[in-house]
Amino acid sequence: MTLQLPIVFIAALGEPGQNWSPVLEHLGDLTTVTYDRPGTGAAPPRPAPRAPLPYSVLADELAEELDERRVTGPAILVAHSIGSLVARVYAGRHPHRVAGLVHVDGSIPQLRLWPTDETTVDGDGPDASELDTVTGQVEVLTATTPPVPALVLTRSPVHPTTADLPAGVEELWLTSQRILARELGAPLIVADDSGHRIPSTAPDLVAYAIRAVHTAAGTARPVRVDPEELSKAGGHLDRTSAT
């Protein structure tokens, strides 16, 4: 018997929960939860004054959001881009509420791929919240992830959307995904033909990863990835992936 664990989605920087809609279309039989962080989508901004926020604030806001929706038991976290960093901190702060993890092309802990003086803001317009990415990086690197079923999903190493990135960036990105997969003891799935926006360009692949982790978490068994089914969904296992 498989437990019907809820699936909680954490969106990328400044993006609303509705951006997961292409994935949700493949998961109609599962319980899913999307939400908007303050200042994104339909959610009002945080009140002023707003000091730069580390990821722990975003993680605890998610815990409060789930409390309000009475989703207080363990859940599968599915997180894209910077949402992956929030998920890692959330898992460290609320391990009893995490039954599984799916990281979808998660941002690297230092977030920035090259030096810049730009601030990082979550949301649009003057009411967007600035993020404290330095403190956030420390939180990510010191977070202890509970031993739950997990999958790491990353973009295609060579894709038109990343063709103009500085030299070394894609190698750094893939290496970071491999490190995360190794730390989690998780398989690393590589999209066959998708850039960073995997939830919209390869939603069936994301759905496949979610179902694999959901089944593992609900049956207390290791994550099983079938290469043939994975190929049909548009992905393949990385050569260094855990088995």
Side-chain angles (χ1 to χ4, degrees):
M1 179 178 180
T2 302
L3 296 177
Q4 291 300 308
L5 298 164
I7 316 295
V8 176
F9 293 84
I10 308 176
L13 184 69
E15 294 188 357
Q18 70 177 14
N19 280 21
W20 290 103
S21 294
V23 178
L24 299 182
E25 293 177 1
H26 297 268
L27 303 173
D29 57 319
L30 299 180
T31 300
T32 58
V33 179
T34 62
Y35 73 106
D36 296 334
R37 291 188 295 271
T40 69
R46 298 175 181 86
R50 292 178 295 274
L53 306 175
Y55 303 133
S56 55
V57 172
L58 279 59
D60 290 347
E61 287 176 343
L62 171 56
E64 294 173 1
E65 177 78 20
L66 295 178
D67 284 342
E68 292 179 0
R69 301 193 189 194
R70 298 184 179 181
V71 182
T72 56
I76 308 293
L77 300 184
V78 182
H80 177 221
S81 195
I82 200 174
S84 170
L85 303 181
V86 177
R88 292 167 71 171
V89 175
Y90 179 95
R93 295 171 70 85
H94 306 281
H96 61 289
R97 304 184 72 161
V98 180
L101 291 162
V102 180
H103 293 278
V104 183
D105 215 33
S107 297
I108 61 178
Q110 59 267 42
L111 186 64
R112 294 294 187 179
L113 292 167
W114 52 83
T116 178
D117 293 330
E118 295 181 3
T119 58
T120 301
V121 295
D122 191 29
D124 297 319
D127 291 328
S129 296
E130 181 181 348
L131 299 182
D132 180 351
T133 57
V134 174
T135 301
Q137 180 180 351
V138 174
E139 292 176 338
V140 172
L141 293 176
T142 57
T144 300
T145 303
V148 296
L151 274 175
V152 178
L153 174 59
T154 192
R155 64 194 185 218
S156 310
V158 179
H159 193 267
T161 58
T162 60
D164 295 330
L165 292 178
V169 165
E170 279 305 286
E171 182 179 358
L172 170 62
W173 191 267
L174 181 56
T175 298
S176 180
Q177 306 304 314
R178 286 172 172 165
I179 290 172
L180 177 59
R182 185 169 65 245
E183 290 176 347
L184 296 175
L188 173 59
I189 293 175
V190 181
D192 290 335
D193 185 25
S194 179
H196 183 56
R197 305 188 69 81
I198 300 178
S200 59
T201 58
D204 47 348
L205 182 59
V206 179
Y208 176 87
I210 292 171
R211 288 190 180 277
V213 170
H214 183 269
T215 298
T219 58
R221 297 176 180 175
V223 175
R224 179 180 178 273
V225 177
D226 181 274
E228 184 175 345
E229 293 299 319
L230 178 59
S231 178
K232 291 178 181 178
H236 62 275
L237 285 171
D238 180 67
R239 59 182 175 80
T240 66
S241 178
T243 56

